[in-house]
Amino acid sequence: MSAQLSQNLLLTVPMAPLVGAVVAGLFGKTVGRRGAHVITILGVLISFVLSVMVLKSVALDGARFNATVYEWMNLGALKMEVGFLIDGLTAMMMCVVTFVSLMVHIYTIGYMEEDPGYQRFFSYISLFTFSMLMLVMSNNFLQLFFGWEAVGLVSYLLIGFWFKRPTAIFANMKAFLVNRVGDFGFILGIGLIVAFTGSLNYSEVFAKAEEFAKLPFPLPLWGGEWMLITVTCICLFIGAMGKSAQFPLHVWLPDSMEGPTPISALIHAATMVTAGIFMVTRMSPLFELSDTALSVVLVIGSITALFMGFLGIIQNDIKRVVAYSTLSQLGYMTVALGASAYSVAVFHLMTHAFFKALLFLGAGSVIIGMHHDQDIRNMGGLRKYMPLTWITSLLGSLALIGTPFFAGFYSKDSIIEAVHASHLPGAGFAYFAVVAGVFVTAFYSFRMYFLVFHGKERFHHKPFPGEHDHHDDHGEHHDPHESPWVVTAPLVLLAIPSVVIGFLTIQPMLFGDFLKDAITVHGAHHPAMAELAEGFHGATAMAIHGLTTLPFWLALGGVVTAYVFYLVKPEIPAWFARTFAPVIKVLENKYYMDWINENILAAATRRLGMGLWKGGDVAVIDGAVNGSASLVGAFSSVVRTLQTGYLSWYALFMVLGLFGLMTWQLWPYLMSLIVH
């Protein structure tokens, strides 16, 4: 069946954005601003069209592709290659990445039109797209790691795009360092796989998975042993914790808002943060063999889903509200992975990509309309001034909270049901977290929606100083305005799948054959998906039944609570802020995770480095080198006293030396004569 997918066609998918990135980046001044956006948008458009063709071939014709494209080197029996693995999972990811990237590219024309780094930005986002495509299309760990690190590098460049702002410099360094922690675990996991299987190729590794799972892993420091598969999977998941911002490696993601809004949408919706979810799904043949690793995934995901949602409640920056929403939703995806509902996790990844990109780009449209003021407390009543942004943001918010018939409903409810069906340790807490998270999500989402689009117009007399973006605020005393078509068109195009994609795809993705050969589930031990299949009677029936379930009423309760708190009785949240001031302080300080990282972990690391430098480098290494030099000098000073220049002195030493040599050589003979 592989013949149905052309290798050249597959090569073109990642290469087209790369060509656009190179042209816009290296020849930006030559092609100009218009040339930069034309060439990069054309590259991503070609990539999207070809991805749709691949998806059609995979979904309708059953086409598959798994082959080496280029052999880089051989180290003994270990082959290092560039290759593609195209199945349902890859084809879906290719379409999501390229479509969201295309929308972001078009949107950027309007959002960044006055920025001096226009061509540079288009180059970066196109390079980001190439990196993510190489990651999702790989058929081996080497290429996966290349794409993994490439998205990390480009995110560093994009988060710190406005490199003259100290906050942006701090944010991209934070993202870089936190991801290095995760990536250290990731490369250890890959190293263990290579060491014990002798291969980097997915198919070869998965074929040896059962044998791999029987191997013990001794713990030298603590004694005893774990299973090697458990250690490997946990190491791989640590990599996912960094990339997909899971507790406690989540701290970089809110700060990534320092980058321009289009990249916030791209990072949070389709690239980078979804890489960890994709990787664990791809590694399902390994994770299925370790219940311990799955429990770790389940608990970490549930902590992230619930506690990051709480932080979204107290945010006033419109982008940071959406950012904490991303953290919470990534937690939901991770919980699904831990429950062995891998198809549900990537289903939520897909639906989330559309409505989260919509919400971010909608937030950017509001920022443009508000003349780059991002504080939601300075807004209100924007529905009248920005009707397209209003309606698309409403649709995105309804999808996010899991409103029946909207995309987010099908994926989020499936996660909740899958966790409910799981019997792993930690499943009880996870179920509580994802159910409680429904109310929290609805509350903070509609808190933002009501404060921005409804209520009284606060932008005439801003109660809080406006936090401006990179532009000077020339329109402070002007009414808000609707954004240009290059901004609103992507909003409309993203709103459509945010509403319908879940309804259209739930059956083939969760209960059909679309992901069957990409995902391995041991149903006897992990029955979540089997139980979901038994209770599924079509998308319409599921939505109608959803109107009677606890999550729906919790979501409705969250919306109503937000409406009462911020439109009817604004004194209630003010009372909560006064009464629960200590709790609010903890939330405002983000559970003091940043303080702990900076003042304990980073400080301890710096002290360790200082100790190794002073004690190891200066005292031991330099001491040994300098000491040996001093020793030679001292020896030389002694020898120098013997260098008199008198021939008789040298003759004396020659005689004494000859006497000593003869005595040493003849001593055994003389001793034998004395004895006998």
Side-chain angles (χ1 to χ4, degrees), residues 65 80 132 194 255 274 298 435 437 467 480 513 541 547 591 667:
F65 186 93
M80 296 187 177
M132 191 65 188
V194 173
D255 287 359
T274 61
L298 191 68
V435 171
E467 295 182 14
D513 295 335
L547 295 169
Y591 307 117
W667 184 255

Side-chain angles (χ1 to χ4, degrees), residues 207-287:
K208 297 178 181 178
E210 294 287 347
E211 180 186 339
F212 189 63
K214 296 174 184 175
L215 298 173
F217 185 86
L219 300 174
L221 297 178
W222 296 274
E225 59 184 27
W226 280 14
M227 297 308 295
L228 179 61
I229 192 76
T230 298
V231 176
T232 303
C233 288
I234 290 175
C235 285
L236 292 175
F237 180 63
I238 290 170
M241 286 165 64
K243 276 288 178 291
S244 294
Q246 296 299 294
F247 178 87
L249 301 183
H250 66 279
V251 292
W252 68 269
L253 194 65
D255 287 359
S256 69
M257 296 300 98
E258 291 296 331
T261 300
I263 196 53
S264 301
L266 197 54
I267 288 177
H268 287 241
T271 58
M272 186 126 171
V273 296
T274 61
I277 308 300
F278 168 82
M279 183 273 293
V280 175
T281 304
R282 179 62 80 195
M283 299 299 122
S284 61
L286 301 180
F287 278 84

Side-chain angles (χ1 to χ4, degrees), residues 17-194:
L18 180 62
V19 170
V22 170
V23 172
L26 299 182
F27 308 101
K29 289 184 178 178
T30 306
V31 299
R33 294 165 76 90
R34 181 178 175 85
H37 75 236
V38 167
I39 190 70
T40 51
I41 289 173
L42 182 62
V44 177
L45 178 62
I46 291 169
S47 188
F48 171 62
V49 171
L50 295 179
S51 296
V52 172
M53 291 168 60
V54 170
L55 179 64
K56 178 181 173 294
S57 296
V58 168
L60 301 182
D61 304 328
R64 296 291 185 271
F65 186 93
N66 185 12
T68 300
V69 175
Y70 172 72
E71 190 172 292
W72 183 31
M73 67 170 78
N74 290 334
L75 292 176
L78 183 65
K79 295 180 179 179
M80 296 187 177
E81 303 166 330
V82 176
F84 295 144
L85 168 60
I86 308 299
D87 52 20
L89 177 61
T90 305
M92 181 274 292
M93 289 295 298
M94 286 163 64
C95 287
V96 169
V97 171
T98 52
F99 178 72
V100 172
S101 178
L102 180 61
M103 296 298 103
V104 168
H105 274 72
I106 296 169
Y107 179 95
T108 301
I109 298 172
Y111 194 87
M112 301 290 287
E113 62 177 344
E114 299 172 22
D115 198 284
Y118 190 84
Q119 294 99 312
R120 180 164 59 94
F121 189 81
F122 272 99
S123 174
Y124 287 172
I125 58 176
S126 210
L127 186 61
F128 209 175
T129 308
F130 158 76
S131 304
M132 191 65 188
L133 286 168
M134 287 297 286
L135 189 157
V136 301
M137 294 173 71
S138 63
N139 74 341
N140 62 85
F141 286 97
L142 179 70
Q143 189 177 327
L144 174 72
F145 191 71
F146 164 77
W148 194 267
E149 294 302 319
V151 293
L153 168 65
V154 185
S155 72
Y156 173 84
L157 297 172
L158 283 162
I159 294 168
F161 182 78
W162 290 316
F163 52 83
K164 293 182 180 178
R165 295 166 57 175
T167 51
I169 297 167
F170 182 79
N172 72 351
M173 185 58 70
K174 189 175 180 179
F176 187 82
L177 292 175
V178 172
N179 272 278
R180 295 293 68 73
V181 174
D183 292 353
F184 181 67
F186 188 53
I187 201 165
L188 284 178
I190 294 175
L192 287 171
I193 288 170
V194 173

